[in-house]
Short mmCIF file of all heavy atoms in Angstrom, two decimals:
data_model
loop_
_atom_site.label_atom_id
_atom_site.label_comp_id
_atom_site.label_asym_id
_atom_site.label_seq_id
_atom_site.Cartn_x
_atom_site.Cartn_y
_atom_site.Cartn_z
N MET A 1456 14.23 4.25 -14.18
CA MET A 1456 12.78 4.43 -14.41
C MET A 1456 12.00 3.20 -13.93
O MET A 1456 10.95 3.33 -13.31
CB MET A 1456 12.51 4.68 -15.89
CG MET A 1456 13.04 6.02 -16.38
SD MET A 1456 12.40 7.43 -15.45
CE MET A 1456 10.72 7.44 -15.98
N ASN A 1457 12.54 2.02 -14.22
CA ASN A 1457 11.88 0.79 -13.76
C ASN A 1457 11.87 0.72 -12.24
O ASN A 1457 10.89 0.30 -11.63
CB ASN A 1457 12.57 -0.45 -14.34
CG ASN A 1457 12.28 -0.62 -15.82
OD1 ASN A 1457 11.27 -0.12 -16.31
ND2 ASN A 1457 13.16 -1.31 -16.52
N ASN A 1458 12.98 1.14 -11.63
CA ASN A 1458 13.03 1.16 -10.17
C ASN A 1458 12.01 2.14 -9.61
O ASN A 1458 11.37 1.86 -8.59
CB ASN A 1458 14.44 1.53 -9.67
CG ASN A 1458 15.43 0.40 -9.84
OD1 ASN A 1458 15.05 -0.74 -10.06
ND2 ASN A 1458 16.71 0.73 -9.77
N GLN A 1459 11.86 3.30 -10.27
CA GLN A 1459 10.89 4.29 -9.79
C GLN A 1459 9.47 3.75 -9.93
O GLN A 1459 8.65 3.91 -9.05
CB GLN A 1459 11.05 5.61 -10.55
CG GLN A 1459 12.27 6.39 -10.14
CD GLN A 1459 12.44 7.67 -10.96
OE1 GLN A 1459 11.87 7.83 -12.02
NE2 GLN A 1459 13.25 8.58 -10.43
N LYS A 1460 9.21 3.10 -11.10
CA LYS A 1460 7.87 2.51 -11.29
C LYS A 1460 7.63 1.43 -10.24
O LYS A 1460 6.56 1.35 -9.67
CB LYS A 1460 7.74 1.91 -12.69
CG LYS A 1460 7.61 2.94 -13.78
CD LYS A 1460 7.51 2.28 -15.14
CE LYS A 1460 7.49 3.32 -16.24
NZ LYS A 1460 7.52 2.70 -17.57
N SER A 1461 8.66 0.62 -10.03
CA SER A 1461 8.56 -0.43 -9.03
C SER A 1461 8.37 0.17 -7.64
O SER A 1461 7.59 -0.32 -6.84
CB SER A 1461 9.81 -1.30 -9.06
OG SER A 1461 9.79 -2.22 -8.02
N SER A 1462 9.09 1.27 -7.39
CA SER A 1462 8.97 1.95 -6.11
C SER A 1462 7.57 2.52 -5.93
O SER A 1462 6.98 2.41 -4.87
CB SER A 1462 10.02 3.05 -6.01
OG SER A 1462 9.86 3.78 -4.82
N LYS A 1463 7.05 3.13 -7.03
CA LYS A 1463 5.67 3.66 -6.96
C LYS A 1463 4.69 2.53 -6.75
O LYS A 1463 3.76 2.64 -5.96
CB LYS A 1463 5.34 4.42 -8.25
CG LYS A 1463 5.99 5.77 -8.35
CD LYS A 1463 5.61 6.46 -9.63
CE LYS A 1463 6.34 7.79 -9.76
NZ LYS A 1463 6.07 8.44 -11.05
N SER A 1464 4.94 1.42 -7.47
CA SER A 1464 4.07 0.26 -7.31
C SER A 1464 4.17 -0.27 -5.89
O SER A 1464 3.17 -0.63 -5.27
CB SER A 1464 4.47 -0.82 -8.32
OG SER A 1464 3.74 -1.99 -8.08
N SER A 1465 5.41 -0.30 -5.37
CA SER A 1465 5.60 -0.76 -3.98
C SER A 1465 4.90 0.17 -3.01
O SER A 1465 4.27 -0.28 -2.06
CB SER A 1465 7.10 -0.82 -3.65
OG SER A 1465 7.73 -1.80 -4.42
N ARG A 1466 5.03 1.50 -3.26
CA ARG A 1466 4.34 2.46 -2.40
C ARG A 1466 2.84 2.27 -2.48
O ARG A 1466 2.15 2.31 -1.46
CB ARG A 1466 4.72 3.90 -2.78
CG ARG A 1466 5.96 4.38 -2.05
CD ARG A 1466 6.23 5.84 -2.31
NE ARG A 1466 7.45 5.87 -3.13
CZ ARG A 1466 7.59 6.49 -4.29
NH1 ARG A 1466 6.62 7.20 -4.78
NH2 ARG A 1466 8.70 6.42 -4.96
N ALA A 1467 2.34 2.04 -3.72
CA ALA A 1467 0.91 1.81 -3.89
C ALA A 1467 0.50 0.53 -3.15
O ALA A 1467 -0.54 0.49 -2.49
CB ALA A 1467 0.54 1.70 -5.37
N ASN A 1468 1.35 -0.51 -3.25
CA ASN A 1468 1.06 -1.76 -2.53
C ASN A 1468 1.08 -1.53 -1.03
O ASN A 1468 0.23 -2.04 -0.31
CB ASN A 1468 2.08 -2.84 -2.91
CG ASN A 1468 1.86 -3.39 -4.30
OD1 ASN A 1468 0.79 -3.22 -4.87
ND2 ASN A 1468 2.87 -4.02 -4.85
N ILE A 1469 2.05 -0.75 -0.57
CA ILE A 1469 2.13 -0.45 0.86
C ILE A 1469 0.89 0.33 1.30
O ILE A 1469 0.30 0.04 2.34
CB ILE A 1469 3.42 0.33 1.19
CG1 ILE A 1469 4.63 -0.61 1.05
CG2 ILE A 1469 3.37 0.94 2.58
CD1 ILE A 1469 5.97 0.09 1.12
N GLU A 1470 0.48 1.32 0.46
CA GLU A 1470 -0.71 2.09 0.80
C GLU A 1470 -1.94 1.19 0.83
O GLU A 1470 -2.79 1.32 1.70
CB GLU A 1470 -0.90 3.23 -0.21
CG GLU A 1470 0.12 4.35 -0.03
CD GLU A 1470 0.05 5.40 -1.14
OE1 GLU A 1470 -0.81 5.28 -2.05
OE2 GLU A 1470 0.88 6.33 -1.09
N THR A 1471 -2.01 0.27 -0.14
CA THR A 1471 -3.14 -0.67 -0.17
C THR A 1471 -3.12 -1.54 1.08
O THR A 1471 -4.15 -1.77 1.70
CB THR A 1471 -3.08 -1.55 -1.44
OG1 THR A 1471 -3.09 -0.71 -2.59
CG2 THR A 1471 -4.22 -2.52 -1.49
N ILE A 1472 -1.92 -2.01 1.43
CA ILE A 1472 -1.79 -2.83 2.64
C ILE A 1472 -2.19 -2.02 3.87
O ILE A 1472 -2.92 -2.51 4.73
CB ILE A 1472 -0.35 -3.38 2.77
CG1 ILE A 1472 -0.10 -4.43 1.70
CG2 ILE A 1472 -0.10 -3.95 4.16
CD1 ILE A 1472 1.35 -4.86 1.56
N GLU A 1473 -1.73 -0.75 3.92
CA GLU A 1473 -2.08 0.09 5.07
C GLU A 1473 -3.57 0.33 5.12
O GLU A 1473 -4.17 0.29 6.19
CB GLU A 1473 -1.32 1.42 4.99
CG GLU A 1473 0.16 1.28 5.30
CD GLU A 1473 0.94 2.58 5.06
OE1 GLU A 1473 0.39 3.53 4.47
OE2 GLU A 1473 2.12 2.62 5.47
N GLU A 1474 -4.20 0.58 3.94
CA GLU A 1474 -5.65 0.77 3.92
C GLU A 1474 -6.35 -0.50 4.37
O GLU A 1474 -7.32 -0.45 5.12
CB GLU A 1474 -6.11 1.14 2.51
CG GLU A 1474 -5.75 2.56 2.11
CD GLU A 1474 -6.13 2.86 0.67
OE1 GLU A 1474 -6.94 2.11 0.08
OE2 GLU A 1474 -5.60 3.85 0.14
N THR A 1475 -5.85 -1.65 3.90
CA THR A 1475 -6.44 -2.92 4.31
C THR A 1475 -6.30 -3.12 5.81
O THR A 1475 -7.25 -3.54 6.48
CB THR A 1475 -5.75 -4.09 3.55
OG1 THR A 1475 -5.89 -3.86 2.15
CG2 THR A 1475 -6.36 -5.42 3.92
N GLU A 1476 -5.10 -2.76 6.35
CA GLU A 1476 -4.90 -2.88 7.79
C GLU A 1476 -5.85 -1.95 8.54
O GLU A 1476 -6.41 -2.33 9.56
CB GLU A 1476 -3.45 -2.56 8.15
CG GLU A 1476 -2.47 -3.65 7.74
CD GLU A 1476 -1.01 -3.27 7.99
OE1 GLU A 1476 -0.75 -2.12 8.38
OE2 GLU A 1476 -0.15 -4.13 7.78
N ILE A 1477 -6.03 -0.73 8.01
CA ILE A 1477 -6.96 0.21 8.64
C ILE A 1477 -8.37 -0.36 8.59
O ILE A 1477 -9.11 -0.31 9.59
CB ILE A 1477 -6.89 1.59 7.95
CG1 ILE A 1477 -5.56 2.26 8.30
CG2 ILE A 1477 -8.06 2.47 8.35
CD1 ILE A 1477 -5.27 3.53 7.52
N ASN A 1478 -8.75 -0.94 7.43
CA ASN A 1478 -10.08 -1.55 7.32
C ASN A 1478 -10.22 -2.69 8.31
O ASN A 1478 -11.27 -2.83 8.95
CB ASN A 1478 -10.34 -2.03 5.90
CG ASN A 1478 -10.56 -0.89 4.93
OD1 ASN A 1478 -10.89 0.22 5.33
ND2 ASN A 1478 -10.37 -1.15 3.65
N TYR A 1479 -9.18 -3.53 8.43
CA TYR A 1479 -9.22 -4.61 9.40
C TYR A 1479 -9.36 -4.05 10.81
O TYR A 1479 -10.14 -4.57 11.62
CB TYR A 1479 -7.98 -5.50 9.32
CG TYR A 1479 -7.95 -6.43 8.14
CD1 TYR A 1479 -6.77 -6.68 7.47
CD2 TYR A 1479 -9.10 -7.09 7.71
CE1 TYR A 1479 -6.73 -7.54 6.38
CE2 TYR A 1479 -9.07 -7.95 6.63
CZ TYR A 1479 -7.89 -8.18 5.97
OH TYR A 1479 -7.85 -9.03 4.92
N MET A 1480 -8.61 -2.99 11.10
CA MET A 1480 -8.69 -2.39 12.43
C MET A 1480 -10.09 -1.84 12.67
O MET A 1480 -10.63 -1.99 13.77
CB MET A 1480 -7.63 -1.30 12.61
CG MET A 1480 -6.21 -1.82 12.62
SD MET A 1480 -5.93 -3.16 13.81
CE MET A 1480 -6.19 -2.31 15.35
N ASN A 1481 -10.69 -1.21 11.65
CA ASN A 1481 -12.05 -0.72 11.80
C ASN A 1481 -13.01 -1.88 12.06
O ASN A 1481 -13.90 -1.77 12.91
CB ASN A 1481 -12.49 0.05 10.55
CG ASN A 1481 -11.82 1.40 10.44
OD1 ASN A 1481 -11.32 1.95 11.42
ND2 ASN A 1481 -11.80 1.95 9.25
N GLU A 1482 -12.83 -2.97 11.33
CA GLU A 1482 -13.68 -4.14 11.53
C GLU A 1482 -13.47 -4.73 12.93
O GLU A 1482 -14.42 -5.14 13.59
CB GLU A 1482 -13.42 -5.20 10.46
CG GLU A 1482 -13.83 -4.77 9.06
CD GLU A 1482 -15.30 -4.42 8.95
OE1 GLU A 1482 -16.14 -5.14 9.52
OE2 GLU A 1482 -15.61 -3.40 8.32
N ILE A 1483 -12.22 -4.76 13.37
CA ILE A 1483 -11.91 -5.27 14.71
C ILE A 1483 -12.55 -4.36 15.76
O ILE A 1483 -13.15 -4.84 16.72
CB ILE A 1483 -10.38 -5.38 14.92
CG1 ILE A 1483 -9.84 -6.54 14.08
CG2 ILE A 1483 -10.05 -5.58 16.39
CD1 ILE A 1483 -8.33 -6.62 14.03
#
């Protein structure tokens, strides 16, 4: 369960990073 929560958190972090990268790309 902790691994799944961590995995979800990691996925959320990855999604946030991807959104941030998309925002950076839009700004670029």
Side-chain angles (χ1 to χ4, degrees):
M1456 292 303 290
N1457 288 337
N1458 286 345
Q1459 286 177 342
K1460 287 179 184 175
S1461 174
S1462 176
K1463 285 180 183 175
S1464 174
S1465 294
R1466 272 187 249 127
N1468 287 342
I1469 289 170
E1470 288 172 1
T1471 302
I1472 290 169
E1473 287 173 350
E1474 287 176 17
T1475 302
E1476 287 175 355
I1477 289 171
N1478 288 340
Y1479 285 141
M1480 292 308 294
N1481 287 340
E1482 293 301 317
I1483 289 171

